[in-house]
Amino acid sequence: MTEEIGRAVIADLCRLPNPEAIDRTTFVELGGVEQFVSIRGRDTRNPILIVCHGGPALPSLPSSWIWQRAIEDYFTVVNYDQRASGKSATGASDGMDLSVERYVDDLVELIAWLRRELGVTKVGVLGHSWGTIIGITLAEQRPELLWGYIGVGQVISGPENEVESFGFAMRSAIADGNEQAVAELQSLGEYPGAQPLTLERIVTCRRWAQHYGGLSAYRSDFAYFTDAAGLSPYYTDGERVLIGVGQQATMAQVLPALLSFDARAKTLFEVPMLQFLGRHDWTTPTAPVERWFDRVSAPSTDVVWFENSAHLCMFEEPGKFVVSLVNLALPHATSA
């Protein structure tokens, strides 16, 4: 079977042919920037769940065909390529506002558009990795818009994440007798330390943390994740190139915001708060999240541990991911 035929089979599998379904794509102007939006669900009466993707600038839609289809039975799922990301990268320009506040405002505008287009009053937001920074900020500032917030690979303290990730990589390399890894990690000096946290230093730390399963549990190779876009029914070959364009356009500005983010003092929320945590996640380590979530006050708080997952629990344990959303998130959506 050729790649072309394989992609056609996946596209056919992902079709939503029943008359109650919705499968719509469009560009929506958010904050003065055209941003790509996908809306998919088996029944238009189902509640809205917005996926706020990670990265920075790593859209969730290209790989969503692996894990999202079952969720579409219970929710109308909205993916959007954030400003200067994915298909929205065609609008990237020098001087574009890439502050956390602007990303949050874009999401507020997207929700306002969805309320008009789909006739809903509240939506849920599922943030992954970098997207959890946007999501948790929105949950704190605009609770009236949400029936709930779900954090997956939550970022609470960027500085603590770097310390935890480095420690895991070094412990794993020493236990493995991996002299190359130990030498490269030692070359970073005190990490993150007082010297500039350059992209090169970060890549070195993350490369070895991920080698020992910190991105995908028990795997040093996670090509299934990075290559999933190649079979995507939602992205053409030319559009996949835009993913790299977006990352180049955003990394220098967004990465410092990700690494310096600190939400440890944000503990009062007026919306239900859920956390999906991969037991082996050393990309956004879970210890800072645990310490923070123990102090969170909200209408309800739930934690789900994915024992065989790291940072990608929707890919690694997709069945448990769907069941957890249905059991813990859907009741908040229907009551709202």
Side-chain angles (χ1 to χ4, degrees):
M1 179 183 292
T2 66
E3 181 176 310
E4 182 179 357
I5 294 175
R7 191 181 300 172
V9 169
I10 293 170
D12 191 31
L13 177 68
C14 291
R15 285 196 307 116
L16 296 171
N18 59 297
E20 302 83 11
I22 182 172
D23 185 359
R24 177 182 174 189
T25 59
T26 188
F27 280 87
V28 180
E29 185 175 312
L30 308 172
V33 176
E34 292 288 313
Q35 298 180 42
F36 181 77
V37 177
S38 163
I39 307 171
R40 285 179 51 87
R42 187 68 66 176
D43 191 325
T44 55
R45 294 168 296 184
N46 286 340
I48 305 297
L49 180 64
I50 300 175
V51 178
C52 195
H53 69 70
L58 187 60
S60 54
L61 183 62
S63 58
S64 65
W65 63 270
I66 295 180
W67 59 271
Q68 185 176 294
R69 286 180 56 247
I71 297 171
E72 293 166 1
D73 288 347
Y74 302 95
F75 300 90
T76 296
V77 184
V78 177
N79 283 277
Y80 74 109
D81 291 4
Q82 297 160 14
R83 57 175 49 222
S85 302
K87 295 185 186 184
S88 305
T90 54
S93 61
D94 293 339
M96 175 180 284
D97 186 354
L98 298 175
S99 64
V100 171
E101 294 76 15
R102 182 63 260 173
Y103 281 100
V104 173
D105 288 343
D106 285 353
L107 182 51
V108 170
E109 292 187 28
L110 174 61
I111 294 171
W113 181 82
L114 289 168
R115 292 172 73 175
R116 293 192 301 269
E117 290 290 308
L118 303 182
V120 298
T121 55
K122 294 189 177 185
V123 305
V125 168
L126 186 153
H128 180 233
S129 198
W130 149 257
T132 66
I133 293 178
I134 303 169
I136 197 175
T137 304
L138 177 76
E140 182 193 39
Q141 295 179 357
R142 299 297 304 272
E144 76 279 6
L145 301 177
L146 303 180
W147 52 253
Y149 169 71
I150 305 104
V152 183
Q154 181 71 51
V155 178
I156 288 298
S157 171
E160 284 190 350
N161 281 358
E162 294 307 305
V163 172
E164 297 268 358
S165 184
F166 177 83
F168 167 74
M170 182 63 84
R171 292 191 302 271
S172 301
I174 292 172
D176 190 34
N178 189 330
E179 295 181 0
Q180 177 188 352
V182 171
E184 290 187 12
L185 291 166
Q186 286 178 336
S187 73
L188 300 178
E190 183 180 356
Y191 187 86
Q195 57 183 303
L197 195 54
T198 62
L199 183 59
E200 290 74 20
R201 297 181 75 216
I202 296 165
V203 167
T204 298
C205 176
R206 295 292 172 83
R207 179 169 67 248
W208 291 113
Q210 293 173 359
H211 174 78
Y212 288 106
L215 179 66
S216 190
Y218 313 113
R219 293 173 181 258
S220 58
D221 183 329
F222 33 84
Y224 74 88
F225 170 62
T226 55
D227 293 346
L231 292 174
S232 176
Y234 311 125
Y235 264 58
T236 66
D237 290 340
E239 288 168 340
R240 287 201 307 276
V241 173
L242 291 172
I243 298 174
V245 172
Q247 290 174 329
Q248 288 293 322
T250 61
M251 196 64 72
Q253 291 189 62
V254 176
L255 195 59
L258 171 61
L259 297 174
S260 63
F261 184 75
D262 190 344
R264 286 174 290 184
K266 301 180 187 296
T267 57
L268 298 177
F269 296 89
E270 298 176 23
V271 298
M273 301 287 287
L274 288 79
Q275 287 294 316
F276 288 3
L277 304 178
R279 183 67 72 179
H280 308 280
D281 189 349
W282 295 97
T283 300
T284 53
T286 57
V289 184
E290 281 191 278
R291 291 190 289 267
W292 162 76
F293 209 54
D294 283 342
R295 298 182 291 109
V296 164
S297 175
S300 68
T301 57
D302 287 288
V303 176
V304 181
W305 282 100
F306 290 78
E307 299 294 341
N308 293 302
S309 297
H311 192 58
L312 306 170
C313 55
M314 63 276 277
F315 295 89
E316 299 174 86
E317 296 180 72
K320 185 173 184 176
F321 195 85
V322 174
V323 169
S324 299
L325 282 175
V326 171
N327 287 342
L328 297 174
L330 189 58
H332 296 303
T334 53
S335 66

